[in-house]
Amino acid sequence: MTRSTLSRRGFLKRGANVVAASVAASAVPGMVAAMGNVTVGFIYVGPRQDFGWNQSHWDAAQKIAAMDGITVVEQENVPETAEVEKVIQSMIELDGAKVIFGTSFGYWDSLKAMAEKYPDVLFTHIGAIWKEGDPTNVIGYRGYTEEAHYLCGIAAGRMSDTRKIGFIGSKPLYFIYNNANGFMLGARSVAPETTMNVVITGDWNNPVKEAETTNALIDQGCDVIIANVDSPKVAIETAEARGVYTCGYHSDLSSLAPNGFLTGAEWNWASGAEFVRAFVEDDPYPNLKRGGFREDMVALSPFGEAVPQEVRDEVMAAKQGFIDNSLQLYAGPIADNQGNVIVPEGEVRNNDDVPFKLGIDWFVEGTIG
Amino acid sequence: MNSVEAVAINAAAFVITLALFGIYVATLGHNPLDVYYVLWLGSFARQISIESTLTNAAPLMLTALCTAIPARAGLLVIGGEGALVVGGVATVLAGMLVAGAPFLVGVTFMSLAGALAGGLWIAFAGALRQYRGVNETISTLLLNYIAIAVMYHLITGPMRDWERVLKTSSWSIPDALRVGALPVIDVHWGLAAGIVVCLILYVVMRRTTFGFGVDVLGGNPRAAQMAGLPINRMVLICCFMGGAAAGLAGAFEVTAVHGFASESLVVGFGYAGILVAFLSRQNPAAIIFLAIILGGVAASGGLLQRRFDLPDATTQVLQGLLFMIVLASNAAYGRLNVFQPAAWRTA
């Protein structure tokens, strides 16, 4: 007994400068050695089964873990403090991680600092705000979820009886405006008389307010609800209990509303797998990547049972339109809800017109709120 | 109190905690020995582990003082979270004022501003108690919500940095006034500040007449009053010192970690500090060690998640067990004959 303790201590001392992962793997029985494999670390800001933002990344982690030669290590509830950097270092030095997925916006400064410290490790971030001068081993990527919202909007427009739909947003930020506009333009493409009530809660995560808002929107006559908050679970369950339709956001939430779920706008963060592959095989990779269905960076949730086949076909046709670039989200004439013409008749803003989309701080015509 | 006794009882509590935690993980299908090894690996076994542990521990030392110092005077203050937040906001404002000042002057000014804001915040609760009879536990709890709401108001409006689109935050302090890491070990300077402040307050509380007076006050306020001690003033000073420590924690979160005030200041350092204060039995020197132990639990909790795919809540189970058992072990003080002077032994 004494002997084994002593030898482990000596082992640890000697091992201090050796690759940490191999030491840990050999010292802990039952652990699979990471040698020859690539270890990928995922860091989540909240619980990974949150029916929302973090879960969309967890979905990606599971897909990436299924790839050959990839081991995934995950840590949840990591606040955006000094702790992030230590978690990253711990993943690199103790687990031997070669790729780090930082899945919260506020990790950005920490990711950049760590990228400079560990130039042979790849870091990804979900804000797509990389710019010239930032470390080249950092990738920013983000999907055009407004395209998926457009498809949800088509389903909502077809299914709504009251011709009123409801959108709950977290913060007044460009992508929330884009998602709301996508939802509305999709609905109006099939039911032009539709109006949309929008409520911005001001918080990423405020379940009480989200439930109140959902009820208020339903009381105003909205019969399709979509919630752009960190975890739309509360809004969807509230709407389901009130007997109205819902659309999901972030990840597949169809299980939350067996009766009223139409479809949902999902991220496809697993598209980050290509960065891992490129990095491992020493191929070039972009530092900044945005894309929609065409680039396979967003996805659509499975349809709920309430959605009839002809609506499904219509939605899937529009999805194909995004994929082959024949459908443009912001195609004129588009006016905002103050009456200003934004995109005149005959003009089209391409789906990849990022500067235009980043500048959006208005709601399309027919939006109330 | 006999310090050998305290060490022995705490060590026993720690061993019992680990044993119970071992049973818990065994029921989840993991070998407890592997789990213990990973706990050790993640908290102290390597430089990066120690750095993680100390990074987690640094703010806890200061926020623990916010509960521990007033507790010595008989108050139960749980306002560390709020004091940290107002300290952080005051630090940003001070940083704006001293932009362009020499490094040491600027950092000192910002730290003092943070400490002053936190100190006044908790002293206010102390004054409400002494002069208006408001329960300090309730008032400090509510002051936490007020502090957080005020910060949100400032960072979403008057102090908002509109350049930072996706993360709502205040203006940033000048880069030249950002505090870096300690020499040798990659942990920010808040750790050094925490240790120094804990040691100073240990001396103040244990080796001065003021500290003795506070102990008398905490033991029996009426007796203290009869003895002619200025109890109102002493309560206010204790509250101020505790609040100033938490405010200083907020100052270092700004100067050393973030550079701005944001919702990242509200991550529970203040509440974790309460835990540390109770575990240390309000002893400022013991706070240093217990903050490091809790920091280690948090640091190795991450590795535990990664290696065994355990949920994050597992760490909270361990923390909770530790807290309950250390508190329960308080009952053992004075009951173990071996630690008593020979003349007091009963059997």
Side-chain angles (χ1 to χ4, degrees), chain B residues 12 17 29 51-52 65-66 96 107 112 122 124 136 172 177 179 182 199-200 215 235 246 248 260 265 291 336:
Chain B
T17 305
E51 286 171 3
S52 305
L65 289 169
C66 187
M96 292 292 136
V107 170
L112 288 178
I122 301 297
F124 175 63
E136 77 284 359
S172 298
L177 295 179
V179 177
L182 289 166
L199 290 177
I200 290 173
D215 282 348
V235 164
L248 193 59
F260 50 78
L265 289 178
L336 301 172

Side-chain angles (χ1 to χ4, degrees), chain B residues 15-322:
Chain B
V15 170
I16 294 170
T17 305
L18 281 181
L20 288 178
F21 186 66
I23 296 171
Y24 170 72
V25 292
T27 60
L28 296 176
H30 300 291
N31 181 348
L33 293 177
D34 291 349
V35 172
Y36 294 148
Y37 173 69
V38 166
L39 279 176
W40 164 248
L41 180 70
S43 54
F44 297 105
R46 298 194 208 300
Q47 170 134 4
I48 171 61
S49 316
I50 294 171
E51 286 171 3
S52 305
T53 297
L54 294 179
T55 301
N56 287 329
L60 301 189
M61 291 179 191
L62 290 167
T63 53
L65 289 169
C66 187
T67 298
I69 301 298
R72 296 189 74 93
L75 278 73
L76 181 55
V77 167
I78 55 175
E81 192 87 358
L84 184 147
V85 167
V86 294
V89 171
T91 306
V92 173
L93 288 172
M96 292 292 136
L97 280 179
V98 293
F103 178 75
L104 271 182
V105 176
V107 170
T108 310
F109 184 74
M110 286 191 292
S111 305
L112 288 178
L116 183 69
L120 291 177
W121 193 254
I122 301 297
F124 175 63
L128 280 180
R129 176 188 195 259
Q130 294 308 111
Y131 301 110
R132 280 285 172 267
V134 180
N135 179 297
E136 77 284 359
T137 312
I138 305 297
S139 67
T140 50
L141 177 66
L142 296 179
L143 280 170
N144 284 345
Y145 294 111
I146 295 174
I148 293 165
V150 167
M151 183 196 70
Y152 279 148
H153 169 69
L154 291 174
I155 67 171
T156 51
M159 290 172 66
R160 175 149 190 197
D161 179 357
W162 293 95
E163 297 289 298
R164 218 175 274 274
V165 179
L166 289 188
K167 184 166 169 115
T168 313
S169 58
S170 73
W171 314 307
S172 298
I173 59 167
D175 274 346
L177 295 179
R178 292 287 300 273
V179 177
L182 289 166
V184 183
I185 188 157
D186 185 18
V187 180
H188 65 75
W189 275 92
L191 175 70
I195 292 175
V196 168
V197 173
C198 279
L199 290 177
I200 290 173
L201 287 180
Y202 175 78
V203 172
V204 169
M205 302 315 286
R206 297 296 290 269
R207 292 282 180 271
T208 65
T209 45
F210 172 79
F212 180 72
V214 170
D215 282 348
V216 173
L217 171 59
N220 187 334
R222 292 213 171 167
Q225 202 165 18
M226 294 291 282
L229 289 170
I231 60 169
N232 286 347
R233 197 169 74 203
M234 287 167 66
V235 164
L236 290 190
I237 292 175
C238 285
C239 286
F240 182 85
M241 290 195 299
L248 193 59
F252 276 100
E253 283 299 301
V254 170
T255 55
V257 180
H258 302 293
F260 50 78
S262 72
E263 60 191 352
S264 295
L265 289 178
V266 190
V267 290
F269 289 142
Y271 294 111
I274 301 170
L275 191 63
V276 173
F278 272 88
L279 292 179
S280 67
R281 293 167 59 89
Q282 335 298 2
N283 177 336
I287 283 175
I288 298 175
F289 296 100
L290 284 151
I292 290 173
I293 286 181
L294 272 196
V297 168
S300 55
L303 196 62
L304 215 52
Q305 279 188 47
R306 275 139 48 197
R307 287 286 160 84
F308 298 102
D309 205 23
L310 288 168
D312 179 49
T314 315
T315 322
Q316 285 158 10
V317 170
L318 179 55
Q319 269 188 16
L321 278 175
L322 185 64

